[in-house]
Every structure is written in structure tokens, then in C-alpha cells.
């Protein structure tokens, strides 16, 4: 199911959880749908360095092309458009005024591991502190099998909070960010190499939103 994994995309019972795409942009068990959130035909023609508008940019790895089904970010299919292997990046407002990216990571993990309606099985593989474009970040790896879908998948998900506002340094970060890889177990090694290129390309920009 096509979605943006976003640390600040939606609130359920006080937890920060995934932001799901509108149904018009969803594919059955992965991949990118044929329409954007507004119901318009979705073109996957983004290449090169792309500014998200949320205070970051990324370089879409050659020869891949990105799609923008939602204003929050970019999806990058790793095989055929409707396949279940893809990368993505997103930005959103820090709606819960999180002060620490570890809190966002913990909420995401707790919600995902308890989502029995969506998953037949879900397991936390690893969690570690890294940096994303110079920002403190956490990297979470989850192994899962969605209901109604064939095969187990890996989610490799990096979360970060944006810098504090210069005019109010005592305030929480204005934005939160996510960058992720979803892939099959047999394609993990090759797809993770491409994902590392995407992570290295991530950099801060002046927000437009």
C-alpha cells in the first residue's frame, strides 16, 4: 500500500504514526498508484536534485525517477511502478512539538508493533542513532508482513527533527522528517545500497511551506 511514513503525519491516541496516502494514490500491496491525492494523473518524472518545500532536498539516484502524489514528499519506485520496492522522503509539521527525535522514534515503534489490523507479523530488527544532513536522527529497521500481501518486507526508516527556529531557539523544531526504504528480503542488499545514496544526498534547505 503506497504511503508516506511520517513521524508527524497523523495523530492517533496521542501517538505520532504513519500518514497514509489518499485512496486514489494507493496500490494494493505496494508501489505507486496512478493518481495523486487530488485525483489527477500521477507522473513519475522527477529527476536530479529536488526541493521538497519542507526545508530539505534530495537527489533522486540515476536512473530512477520520483513521483509526488502528495505535497508532503516524494516516492521513488525501485522496480516497476506498481512493484512493492520503493524509497521515499517526507516532511511535515512537528504537530506534537517533540523536543527529541528519540520520542518520535519510540512512538512510531510502539504504534507499528501494536498494529494488528494491518500486519500478520511485525518485528523490530534494529534501532540506532545516526545523523541525517547534520541533524540528529534515528534509524529503525522493521520486518513485517501485511495482511493480504505475499512475502515479508523490510522497512528501513530514518527520522529526524528539523533545526529549531532561529527567531525562537527556545521553541521546538518546526518540522519533522522521514526517509525510508521498503523492499523485499531478497532485494534488500541491492536496494539498501541505493538507499544509502539517497540518505547521503539529503540536505537542509530554506523551507517554502
Amino acid at each position: 500500500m503506497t504511503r508516506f511514513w511520517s513521524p508527524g503525519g497523523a495523530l492517533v491516541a496521542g501517538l505520532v504514526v504513519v500518514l497514509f496516502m489518499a485512496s486514489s494514490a494507493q496500490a494494493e500491496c505496494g508501489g505507486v498508484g496512478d493518481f495523486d491525492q487530488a485525483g489527477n494523473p500521477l507522473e513519475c518524472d522527477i529527476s536530479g536534485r529536488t526541493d521538497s518545500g519542507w526545508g530539505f532536498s534530495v537527489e533522486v539516484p540515476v536512473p530512477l525517477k520520483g513521483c509526488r502524489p502528495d505535497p508532503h514528499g516524494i516516492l521513488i519506485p525501485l522496480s516497476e511502478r506498481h512493484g512493492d520496492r520503493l524509497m521515499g522522503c517526507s516532511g511535515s509539521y512537528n504537530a506534537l512539538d517533540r523536543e527529541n527525535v528519540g520520542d518520535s522514534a519510540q512512538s512510531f515503534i510502539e504504534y507499528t508493533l501494536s498494529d494488528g489490523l494491518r500486519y500478520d507479523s511485525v518485528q523490530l530488527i534494529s534501532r540506532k542513532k545516526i545523523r541525517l544532513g547534520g541533524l540528529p536522527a534515528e534509524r529503525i529497521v522493521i520486518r513485517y508482513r501485511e495482511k493480504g500481501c505475499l512475502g515479508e518486507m523490510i522497512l528501513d526508516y530514518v527520522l529526524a527533527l528539523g533545526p529549531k527556529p532561529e527567531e525562537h531557539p527556545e521553541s521546538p523544531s518546526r518540522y519533522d522528517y522521514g526517509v525510508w526504504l521498503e523492499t523485499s528480503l531478497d532485494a534488500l542488499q541491492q536496494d539498501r545500497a541505493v538507499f544509502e545514496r539517497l540518505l547521503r544526498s539529503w540536505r537542509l534547505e530554506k523551507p517554502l511551506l
Side-chain angles (χ1 to χ4, degrees):
M1 179 177 291
T2 304
R3 58 181 164 252
F4 284 126
W5 299 90
S6 174
L11 305 180
V12 174
L15 296 179
V16 182
V17 299
V18 294
L19 170 65
F20 290 96
M21 302 296 291
S23 59
S24 60
Q26 291 178 348
E28 185 64 26
C29 280
V32 177
D34 296 321
F35 301 95
D36 64 16
Q37 189 179 46
N40 301 311
L42 178 61
E43 299 293 334
C44 291
D45 55 3
I46 299 172
S47 61
R49 179 155 296 276
T50 302
D51 194 319
S52 69
W54 289 92
F56 75 91
S57 67
V58 292
E59 184 90 19
V60 178
V62 176
L64 303 176
K65 300 290 185 180
C67 323
R68 192 155 192 169
D70 180 277
H72 284 271
I74 300 164
L75 296 176
I76 305 171
L78 286 164
S79 56
E80 67 273 15
R81 176 174 173 146
H82 296 109
D84 57 5
R85 296 164 45 221
L86 57 84
M87 302 186 298
C89 53
S90 68
S92 63
Y93 291 111
N94 181 17
L96 288 182
D97 291 336
R98 297 285 191 190
E99 295 279 1
N100 187 323
V101 69
D103 294 339
S104 293
Q106 186 62 34
S107 292
F108 177 82
I109 290 169
E110 290 175 1
Y111 181 84
T112 303
L113 296 186
S114 65
D115 191 359
L117 294 177
R118 178 159 300 279
Y119 300 108
D120 281 328
S121 64
V122 58
Q123 176 187 6
L124 176 65
I125 301 300
S126 65
R127 173 182 177 180
K128 63 180 180 179
K129 298 181 185 298
I130 65 166
R131 299 192 76 82
L132 179 67
L135 297 174
E138 293 226 11
R139 187 167 184 171
I140 299 163
V141 178
I142 288 176
R143 181 170 176 167
Y144 67 92
R145 184 194 301 271
E146 283 192 281
K147 291 184 181 297
C149 298
L150 297 176
E152 288 188 301
M153 299 286 291
I154 292 291
L155 169 67
D156 190 341
Y157 182 36
V158 176
L159 306 84
L161 293 176
K164 293 180 179 291
E166 292 183 3
E167 65 274 21
H168 298 292
E170 74 284 357
S171 299
S173 301
R174 188 171 296 157
Y175 302 104
D176 53 33
Y177 301 120
V179 190
W180 67 93
L181 164 70
E182 287 183 277
T183 189
S184 59
L185 296 181
D186 59 355
L188 177 59
Q189 184 173 358
Q190 69 187 64
D191 288 348
R192 184 167 274 164
V194 182
F195 183 54
E196 295 293 345
R197 290 165 55 194
L198 183 69
L199 289 175
R200 289 194 297 269
S201 79
W202 195 101
R203 72 186 186 200
L204 288 168
E205 305 285 358
K206 183 177 180 179
L208 302 177
L209 301 171

